[in-house]
Amino acid sequence: MGLRTMQWDEWIELDNQYPRFHEDKKRRIEERGDKCCRTAHEAYDGAVELLEELCSYLPQRYPTLFRSTPTGIHNLLTEETFDISTRPLPEDPMTTASRLIQDDLAIMFEKPDGQYYLLAGAILLAGFWRLSDKFGMPLSEIHTSGDVPGFKTKLEKGMMNFFRRVQPGQPVLRNNYFIQVDDNLAWSHSIGSEDPSSSSSSDGADDGTTSKQVQGWSSAEKNKAIEHHYFRSERQSLRRLPRSGGVVFTIRTYFEPIIKVAEEVGVPGRLASAVRSWGDDVARYKGRERYGEVLLEYLDGKHREQVEMGLVGEDGQEQEGKYPF
């Protein structure tokens, strides 16, 4: 799972992209509502607990951006004030929580069968998956329905054991990365519409059958120009909420053009090596067949430039004394 210990002041990361994320989330909430933000009845107390924790944490961690109020929190940048003291709350607590930060949010709760279920979420900028497809599913089904490589054979047992052991005072972090071939942070439209509609059968005959638009890498245009390639990385934190016992995920997405990422010293060579190292199942899951040729040609070229400039060695390692200048 690639887990590492998280320090408490690392829980929520905000940066200069905050205004863009905030506006994207606001628009998505208005347009999609409970397709993106939803809390099951039995998870409501846990969702409120998460919102209360954020309203306590953020003014302490980011005092120039947030201020505590007698009833909740005030955002000094957007001039929004949120009252979290009234009952019922003005909106789903996961919706309010998502308005405060750049992360997407999900809370898993254990049921009597010992499985953890996704019962509260604010998934607004996920790119490749939708809360409406996964809501209410157990952890194992979320991964198998998404064809996560090696889940059954390598990951399931360890992940289930981890969920049972994780404690409020022992939060952890993990990262992953993908390549995306369009510039849409919220939903990667290159793999298909976010809301595939039913249509008539392919031959146009009105035979009463319908066929859904394909969603997935098979529908993506092959070998688009490198300007359309983006590096998408998720920073996920996991911790148990002390009062409700739910396991909360924060999912912070970093989204940058490949041509920008490849300017970093040592990155082209390392990224090219990583993409080539994917096994067949991972390559299929991450769609390498649709973009690999263009991506690797570009990264190899940038790596050669850095070698010729003396910034890195052939192995991609930075040359001592060459960088930073």
Side-chain angles (χ1 to χ4, degrees):
M1 293 172 63
L3 301 174
R4 63 188 187 277
T5 301
M6 183 191 85
Q7 301 302 313
W8 185 232
D9 64 357
E10 299 175 331
W11 184 34
I12 302 297
E13 286 191 350
L14 304 180
D15 61 20
N16 61 3
Q17 294 294 307
Y18 183 88
R20 174 197 175 179
F21 278 67
H22 183 272
E23 287 304 309
D24 281 352
K25 283 187 167 192
K26 181 180 179 181
R27 172 179 53 81
R28 299 272 290 170
I29 289 167
E30 292 172 353
E31 293 175 353
R32 302 187 63 78
D34 65 4
K35 290 180 180 179
C36 290
C37 299
R38 191 185 306 180
T39 301
H41 175 74
E42 64 266 40
Y44 192 83
D45 286 346
V48 170
E49 180 183 11
L50 173 60
L51 176 58
E52 291 173 347
E53 287 208 348
L54 286 169
C55 288
S56 173
Y57 177 91
L58 291 170
Q60 297 178 66
R61 180 65 181 84
Y62 299 101
T64 61
L65 188 56
F66 295 99
R67 177 171 52 84
S68 293
T69 69
T71 58
I73 191 170
H74 178 72
N75 187 320
L76 297 167
L77 177 66
T78 66
E79 293 298 332
E80 296 168 303
T81 299
F82 300 97
D83 180 354
I84 67 167
S85 65
T86 59
R87 296 293 184 273
L89 289 169
E91 62 182 356
D92 188 306
M94 296 300 287
T95 302
T96 304
S98 73
R99 294 183 190 274
L100 297 173
I101 58 178
Q102 289 169 256
D103 306 57
D104 280 345
L105 299 163
I107 315 179
M108 312 286 293
F109 291 88
E110 187 176 15
K111 288 191 174 185
D113 63 1
Q115 292 258 37
Y116 279 81
Y117 290 77
L118 176 54
L119 298 181
I123 306 298
L124 294 152
L125 307 174
F128 295 103
W129 68 281
R130 302 172 298 189
L131 179 65
S132 55
D133 293 333
K134 309 292 186 182
F135 192 80
M137 282 187 179
L139 182 67
S140 56
E141 188 178 352
I142 288 172
H143 288 82
T144 55
S145 65
D147 297 322
V148 174
F151 178 74
K152 278 292 185 183
T153 57
K154 300 177 182 178
L155 299 175
E156 184 175 26
K157 184 177 179 180
M159 191 174 290
M160 292 304 300
N161 288 337
F162 167 77
F163 265 70
R164 296 186 182 104
R165 293 195 311 267
V166 65
Q167 297 299 316
Q170 299 174 336
V172 296
L173 292 170
R174 67 181 298 270
N175 292 81
N176 61 27
Y177 71 96
F178 300 88
I179 304 300
Q180 185 172 319
V181 290
D182 59 73
D183 63 356
N184 195 337
L185 172 65
W187 176 262
S188 178
H189 54 76
S190 60
I191 65 167
S193 170
E194 186 172 8
D195 296 300
S197 58
S198 296
S199 58
S200 303
S201 57
S202 58
D203 60 4
D206 186 11
D207 58 4
T209 64
T210 61
S211 60
K212 285 194 173 181
Q213 295 170 316
V214 175
Q215 268 187 339
W217 279 109
S218 62
S219 65
E221 180 182 341
K222 188 171 182 179
N223 289 332
K224 294 173 73 173
I226 194 63
E227 288 77 14
H228 297 285
H229 291 56
Y230 283 74
F231 182 81
R232 184 182 189 107
S233 177
E234 292 178 346
R235 174 191 181 270
Q236 301 176 357
S237 77
L238 296 84
R239 59 182 291 263
R240 189 178 298 280
L241 295 169
R243 190 171 74 219
S244 64
V247 176
V248 59
F249 285 76
T250 65
I251 308 162
R252 170 71 163 88
T253 298
Y254 297 86
F255 190 62
E256 296 289 348
I258 285 290
I259 57 176
K260 180 179 178 181
V261 171
E263 293 301 318
E264 294 292 326
V265 173
V267 167
R270 293 199 301 270
L271 182 55
S273 177
V275 171
R276 287 190 170 98
S277 74
W278 296 343
D280 290 344
D281 55 346
V282 174
R284 191 162 46 248
Y285 176 67
K286 294 193 175 189
R288 186 177 66 188
E289 186 269 339
R290 310 309 290 179
Y291 55 76
E293 184 179 334
V294 169
L295 175 67
L296 291 171
E297 181 182 4
Y298 179 78
L299 292 176
D300 289 345
K302 297 300 289 186
H303 174 62
R304 285 194 299 272
E305 288 179 13
Q306 293 186 358
V307 171
E308 291 167 1
M309 293 171 66
L311 299 177
V312 298
E314 290 289 349
D315 59 0
Q317 297 298 310
E318 293 181 24
Q319 297 290 80
E320 187 176 353
K322 294 291 187 180
Y323 185 86
F325 299 107

